[in-house]
């Protein structure tokens, strides 16, 4: 395929993906906004006042970066997993498979679609948080790159989930039993300095812990983890997952009988 | 003459161990209108699946316009348009969007895509429906939508897997016309169908596949010429008790009831000879009708021959 043809194919997939989640905005954009504002009100405002400071900041300031990150993770993942699985389920994925679109373009198209939704919801949550506090961003470049990488990693993870999924159950098992616990234990609501030694080292095995902390560093300038190390881990995840997706696509896993 | 498709000793064993193709070889020439026939489960869709890369083959090779499909993935896909047996577009999308998206996958610029989209949606009578969601289309419209989608990149080879299943007679005829036109304009067409008169009308060459093997591969003309017997149902104007003794006439007959019987006649016997015989034996005929389509008979005899004649899929 010529490179301008590839670009058209890529653009086609991305536009289709963005259209899909904006068409069903009531299911895709509104619920995360509502959930996160409930967190703001309950944890930030009501309970937060009693908690006092966390990691040297008031509790609201402390949790907002984590909540934004939570929205990005959940939405990039669920966009790719539900969109790609529904293509499989309705067999419309065959439209792509019979066409000359290279696998790397198929993957990139869906992943960028997921990233756009993740970042859009992240943006909505960020704007809503401005009603509660004045956000200041200490390191904009760190903030931006960590949120992009996170959206990329979870879009890729969603893609793998969709490839292996055979039923609608299969696309909710991982988010419920793996993703949600990892997010809640990933330091969104507390500083790891509160944890006993043992649980602190367990947290160090959780990739989301690094994402949340690095993102928080971007906003507040403090982090429980070394920022450079966190980037290395994130990049490593992105590379490994991207290669895995490509390998599975080339093999036709879950797609070609 | 260029070969549009060359299939060489193709085999497929599915993950569950089922051997769907047991080494089929087949050639279809450029410009041909080719019928791939066979009973349910014969392996037609599996073969088409391999040609369109939706099914991984277990062995053998496929060339499309002289290019190996494994070595030239992109070029061979550009030459190929496929209309699958089962509906495979998103039910939530609009008719025009489905065709436009497919054009995008082939790297077509929007302007060109829009022109082609209009051209084929009009030809297939779907232009009025372009802004409708695809799930609101009737079954026949859905099939036509898949044809428009398969043609948007104007492939040299079009493969249709039962395109007229569940399509009414009028529409089927207009689809035949459309496909004939397309073929006359140069597109090679391969189609599977269970309507044998459709194959007889449209196709120049055929292959019959059964249990994953090719049991017949010849021209339609040669196949029909090989047809040496014809069976009729004879309706009687005056009832009879028993069949007359036909002597050594080249035919066999079977009593149905006192108002009708079935007669299988050798092709050497002309219609006038047959009626002379009826006259001779005082058989008063009120109507004579063909028991089955000629090709149907042949088809069944070929399958029976290949299976040793003892296997019937549906028990009476
Ligand atoms: N994905 C699959 N996994 C396992 N077996 C399969 C699969 N797809 C088809 N088969 C089997 O392969 C054989 C050939 O099926 P195929 O769909 O190619 O038949 P067909 O000739 O198209 O039949 P029909 O006229 O009913 O469409 C059948 O026995 C079928 O059950
Ligand atoms: Mg079939």
């Amino acid at each position: 395929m010529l490179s301008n043809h590839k670009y058209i194919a890529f653009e086609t997939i991305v536009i289709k993906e963005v259209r899909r989640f904006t068409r069903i905005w009531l299911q895709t954009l509104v619920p995360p906004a509502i959930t996160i504002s409930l967190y703001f009100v309950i944890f930030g405002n009501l309970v937060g006042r009693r908690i006092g400071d966390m990691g040297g900041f008031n509790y609201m300031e402390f949790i907002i970066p984590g909540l934004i990150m939570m929205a990005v993770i959940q939405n990039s993942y669920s966009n790719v997993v539900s969109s790609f699985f529904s293509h499989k389920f309705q067999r419309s994925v065959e439209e792509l498979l019979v066409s000359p679109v290279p696998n790397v373009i198929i993957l990139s198209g869906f992943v960028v679609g997921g990233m756009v939704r993740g970042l859009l919801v992240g943006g909505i949550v960020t704007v809503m948080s401005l009603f509660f506090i004045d956000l200041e961003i200490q390191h904009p470049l760190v903030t931006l790159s960590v949120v992009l990488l996170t959206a990329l990693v979870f879009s890729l993870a969603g893609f793998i989930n969709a490839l292996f999924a055979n039923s609608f159950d299969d696309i909710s098992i991982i988010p419920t039993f793996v993703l949600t616990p990892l997010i809640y234990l990933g330091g969104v609501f507390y500083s790891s300095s509160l944890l006993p030694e043992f649980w602190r080292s367990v947290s160090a095995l959780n990739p989301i812990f690094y994402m949340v902390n690095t993102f928080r560093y971007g906003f507040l300038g403090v982090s429980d983890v070394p920022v450079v190390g966190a980037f290395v881990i994130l990049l490593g995840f992105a590379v490994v997952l991207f290669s895995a997706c490509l390998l599975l696509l080339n093999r036709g896993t879950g797609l070609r009988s | 003459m260029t070969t549009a498709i060359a299939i060489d000793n193709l085999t497929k064993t599915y993950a569950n161990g089922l051997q769907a193709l047991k080494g089929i070889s087949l050639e279809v020439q450029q410009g041909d209108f080719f019928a791939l026939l066979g009973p349910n489960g014969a392996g037609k869709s599996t073969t088409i699946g391999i040609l369109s890369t939706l099914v991984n083959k277990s062995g053998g090779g496929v060339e499309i316009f002289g290019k190996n499909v494994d070595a030239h993935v992109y070029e061979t896909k550009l030459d190929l348009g496929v209309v699958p047996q089962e509906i495979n577009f998103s039910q939530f999308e609009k008719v025009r969007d489905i065709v436009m998206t497919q054009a995008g996958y082939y790297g077509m610029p929007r302007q060109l895509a829009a022109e082609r989209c209009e051209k084929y949606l009009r030809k297939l009578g779907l232009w009025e429906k372009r802004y409708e969601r695809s799930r609101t289309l009737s079954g026949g419209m859905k099939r036509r939508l898949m044809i428009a989608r398969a043609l948007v990149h104007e492939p040299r080879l079009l493969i249709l897997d039962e395109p007229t299943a569940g399509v009414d007679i009028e529409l089927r005829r207009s689809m035949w016309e459309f496909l004939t036109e397309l073929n006359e304009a140069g597109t090679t067409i391969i189609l599977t169908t269970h309507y044998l008169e459709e194959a007889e009308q449209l196709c120049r060459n055929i292959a019959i596949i059964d249990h994953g093997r090719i049991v017949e591969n010849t021209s339609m003309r040669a196949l029909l010429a090989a047809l040496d017997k014809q069976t009729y149902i004879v309706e009687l104007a005056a009832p009879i008790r028993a069949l007359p003794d036909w002597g050594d006439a080249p035919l066999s007959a079977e009593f149905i009831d006192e108002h009708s019987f079935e007669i299988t006649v050798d092709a050497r016997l002309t219609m006038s000879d047959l009626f002379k015989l009826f006259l001779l034996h005082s058989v008063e005929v009120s109507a004579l009708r063909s028991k089955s389509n000629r090709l149907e008979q042949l088809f069944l005899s070929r399958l029976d021959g290949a299976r040793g004649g003892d296997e019937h899929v549906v028990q009476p």
Side-chain angles (χ1 to χ4, degrees), chain A residues 26 31 121 176 197:
Chain A
L26 216 56
V121 176
T176 312
E197 183 59 38

Side-chain angles (χ1 to χ4, degrees), chain A residues 234-255:
Chain A
L234 266 175
L235 272 172
F237 264 101
V239 171
V240 169
L241 287 174
F242 195 87
S243 318
C245 283
L246 216 53
L247 186 77
L248 291 167
L249 268 179
N250 289 339
R251 276 199 198 153
T253 305
L255 296 173

Side-chain angles (χ1 to χ4, degrees), chain B residues 303-314:
Chain B
L303 292 185
D304 254 8
R307 292 170 181 173
D310 56 3
E311 192 177 334
H312 291 279
V313 182
V314 183

